[in-house]
């Protein structure tokens, strides 16, 4: 039954906004009308509101499919702050945790359930999903379903299959960047019942896009930052560069810090929060930074390397100027960058024999035998693994991506998962245990007092807070919790912030591994086309930058008037008009009287140069003549 409240009522009540952003209201109405809908909104364009508002207006639960654990956790946290019940299922949670969350979803305990795509085909999810009162399926990062997209993820193809269990429920697909062929593919792969597409123009009217060819990037980078006010992001290709460039900027009295996924969670949080609070002017980072961060006053985004494709570049550059104020997206490149990108394409598609070696090495690393390991999740340090097995990190990473596309295993991002705990015995058994084991009575009482619902649900806990409450040290708390876990009184899952690898199938013998080589070649061809598009954008000096980007995404616009190409055109046009006026003034002199050049040329430097240029051209064309006294007249 639909709520009597309007979308505007819901927006005001839960999000405290008075009005929707452009297209949001149209997208929401399309969903409320039961239409399958594709929404293309730029980074920071408010995509989450488009499924959260209509879901709040209907009975039942909204299933949100997203590949980004950090983003799922952030949105669940934000919904809970608004007193909206939400949960997320992703790699790293125990079977028992997933079981409880899914049970609660069946009985409408949550309004939103976020699910990573690889979970969609698991038996435990499918059995509960059939019985869930689903009101909407929202597909975030929808370009991941298309093999023509820049970040294709095969688990997304399962979405069409789960629709069969709730065939009257609409699907809302959301993405910030999709070419026309990807837009069509999204609708086909999701079995759209209506071709409802809402596209906000890809034009960013407040961003000036600039490209600079430089032989020495760092001095130019410093020069640019010194001229720009406000905070900014510098994207680099690898972790080592983040620290090197941040140190260079700090030595030159720029407030800077570095960020990458290899740092522990408290360190990442501190760096991120300092930058958001404008205590740090510049954050130098890999592309691990930025997703889900809502900082509207970013004045510049600088890429020190050419990204692999225009999709990634547009998303990252679009983190500038979300407040609508003047901002800059700047790309610096050298002649070597193009060659390095071409090499990267080759590295992205290692030989199949190499991929099989990595496959076996990963299972050997965890001592998992043939026929075992399905849906197991393990912490995975790619740098340690690469060193241990004497493999290049890039080869390991790209081999894992190929294994992911073949649905064998998945490498998940580094994300902080807090410690969780649930009592595994009933109240009476717990009471008897406390009487018989007085040594653990205090910590059990502390858990029951501090965390409501811990007898029924897995609950996030903080060992440090328990230590303060019980006036002891954190290591003692951890020791006691581990003991109670071994005694099967509690199920205790310690905090982790490591990247993780999930095995989507049991370990197979090497000869049973199947790879679609024709498909991999197609993916390589697509990657090459995308590379050519970003290189064309970079080397272009004649066409409006934003026009190139918008055309790539199927959006036709007029020249933006503010990118470096447009400004150069504008300057040249003004210069041409000025030179015409100077030429007219000079040619107005008499044909029979000699006039000294110094009486014609102004003393101001910039004007003097222009007059000298015109006179030189007129002399070359023999329209003017000059004598030995530096005097001129019409011929």
């Amino acid at each position: 039954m639909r709520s009597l409240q309007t979308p505007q009522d819901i927006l005001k009540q839960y999000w405290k906004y008075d009005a929707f952003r452009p297209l949001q209201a149209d997208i929401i109405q399309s969903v409320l009308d039961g239409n399958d809908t594709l929404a293309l909104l730029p980074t920071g364009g408010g995509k989450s509101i488009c499924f959260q508002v209509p879901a709040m207006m209907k009975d039942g639960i909204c299933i949100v499919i997203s590949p980004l654990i950090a983003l799922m956790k952030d949105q669940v946290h934000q919904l809970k702050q608004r007193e909206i019940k939400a949960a997320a299922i992703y790699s790293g949670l125990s079977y028992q945790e997933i079981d409880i969350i899914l049970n609660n979803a069946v009985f409408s305990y949550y309004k939103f359930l976020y699910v990573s795509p690889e979970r969609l085909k698991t038996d435990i999810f499918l059995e509960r999903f059939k019985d869930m009162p689903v009101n909407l399926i929202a597909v975030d990062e929808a370009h991941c379903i298309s093999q023509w997209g820049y970040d294709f993820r095969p688990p997304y193809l399962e979405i069409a299959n789960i629709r069969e269990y709730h065939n009257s429920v609409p699907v809302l697909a959301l993405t910030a960047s999709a070419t026309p062929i990807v837009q069509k593919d999204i609708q086909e792969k999701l079995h759209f019942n209506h071709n409802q597409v809402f596209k906000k123009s890809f034009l960013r009217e407040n961003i000036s896009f600039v490209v600079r060819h430089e032989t020495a990037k760092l001095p130019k980078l410093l020069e640019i930052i010194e001229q720009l006010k406000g905070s900014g992001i510098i994207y680099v290709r690898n972790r080592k560069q983040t620290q090197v460039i941040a140190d260079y900027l700090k030595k030159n009295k720029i407030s800077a810090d570095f960020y990458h996924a290899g740092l522990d969670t408290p360190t990442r949080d501190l760096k991120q929060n300092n930058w958001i609070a404008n205590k740090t002017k510049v954050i130098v980072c890999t592309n691990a930074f930025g997703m889900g961060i809502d900082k509207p006053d970013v004045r510049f985004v600088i890429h020190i390397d050419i990204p692999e494709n225009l999709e990634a570049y547009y998303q990252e550059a679009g983190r500038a100027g979300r407040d609508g104020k003047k901002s800059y997206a700047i790309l610096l490149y050298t002649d070597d960058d193009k060659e390095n990108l071409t090499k990267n394409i080759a590295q992205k598609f290692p030989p199949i024999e190499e991929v099989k070696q990595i496959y076996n090495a990963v299972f050997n690393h965890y001592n998992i035998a043939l026929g075992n390991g399905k849906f197991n999740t393990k912490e995975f340090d790619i740098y340690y693994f690469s060193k241990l097995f004497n493999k290049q990190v890039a080869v390991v990473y790209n081999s894992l991506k190929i294994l992911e596309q073949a649905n064998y295993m998945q490498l998940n991002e580094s994300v902080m998962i807090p410690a969780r705990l649930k009592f595994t015995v009933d109240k009476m058994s717990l009471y008897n245990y406390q009487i018989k084991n007085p040594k653990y009575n205090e910590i059990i009482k502390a858990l029951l007092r501090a965390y409501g619902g811990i007898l029924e649900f897995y609950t996030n806990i903080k060992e440090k807070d328990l230590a303060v409450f019980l006036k002891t040290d954190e290591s003692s708390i951890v020791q006691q919790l581990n003991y109670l876990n071994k005694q099967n009184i509690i199920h205790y899952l310690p905090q982790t912030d490591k990247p993780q690898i999930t095995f989507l199938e049991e370990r197979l013998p090497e000869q049973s591994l199947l790879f679609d080589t024709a498909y991999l070649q197609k993916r390589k061809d697509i990657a090459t086309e995308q590379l050519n598009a970003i290189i064309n954008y970079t080397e272009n000096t004649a066409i409006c930058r934003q026009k190139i980007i918008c055309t790539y995404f199927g959006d036709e616009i007029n020249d933006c008037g503010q990118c470096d190409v447009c400004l150069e055109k504008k300057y040249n046009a003004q210069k041409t008009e000025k030179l015409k006026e100077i030429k007219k003034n000079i040619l107005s002199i008499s044909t029979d009287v000699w006039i000294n050049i110094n009486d014609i040329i102004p003393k101001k430097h910039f004007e003097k140069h222009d007059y000298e240029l015109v006179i030189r051209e007129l002399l070359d064309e023999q329209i003017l003549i000059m004598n030995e006294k530096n005097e001129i007249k019409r011929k």
Side-chain angles (χ1 to χ4, degrees), residues 32-43:
L32 291 173
D33 290 340
N35 297 324
D36 290 338
T37 306
L38 171 59
L40 288 98
L41 295 173
T43 304

Side-chain angles (χ1 to χ4, degrees), residues 19 52 67 164 171 179 189 276 323 430 461 476 587 605 628:
Q52 288 169 347
E164 296 173 8
V171 166
T179 61
K189 294 291 193 302
I276 289 172
D323 57 5
L430 183 59
I461 67 164
S476 173
L587 291 178
H605 175 72
E628 64 278 0

Side-chain angles (χ1 to χ4, degrees), residues 290-328:
M291 193 65 71
I293 294 173
D294 186 16
K295 181 171 169 61
D297 60 341
V298 179
R299 295 279 68 88
F300 58 91
V301 172
I302 302 173
H303 282 75
I304 206 85
D305 300 295
I306 303 176
E308 291 184 351
N309 49 64
L310 272 174
E311 289 92 336
Y313 180 65
Y314 179 75
Q315 275 203 331
E316 290 161 11
R319 293 183 180 127
R322 293 185 183 179
D323 57 5
K325 296 180 181 178
K326 180 72 174 179
S327 305
Y328 296 87

Side-chain angles (χ1 to χ4, degrees), residues 601-617:
I601 298 178
K603 290 187 169 47
K604 290 182 181 177
H605 175 72
F606 65 92
E607 290 184 340
K608 181 180 179 182
H609 173 76
D610 291 341
Y611 269 79
E612 288 174 344
L613 180 65
V614 173
I615 290 171
R616 206 175 303 121
E617 287 180 357

Side-chain angles (χ1 to χ4, degrees), residues 90-109:
Y90 44 78
S91 301
L93 298 182
S94 69
Y95 181 90
Q96 294 93 329
E97 285 179 285
I98 294 169
D99 187 48
I100 289 172
I101 291 171
L102 290 173
N103 269 343
N104 289 337
V106 169
F107 292 102
S108 298
Y109 182 78

Side-chain angles (χ1 to χ4, degrees), residues 515-527:
F515 297 95
D516 188 339
T517 53
Y519 161 76
L520 289 173
Q521 183 59 49
K522 181 185 283 188
R523 293 294 305 162
K524 188 173 183 178
D525 293 342
I526 292 168

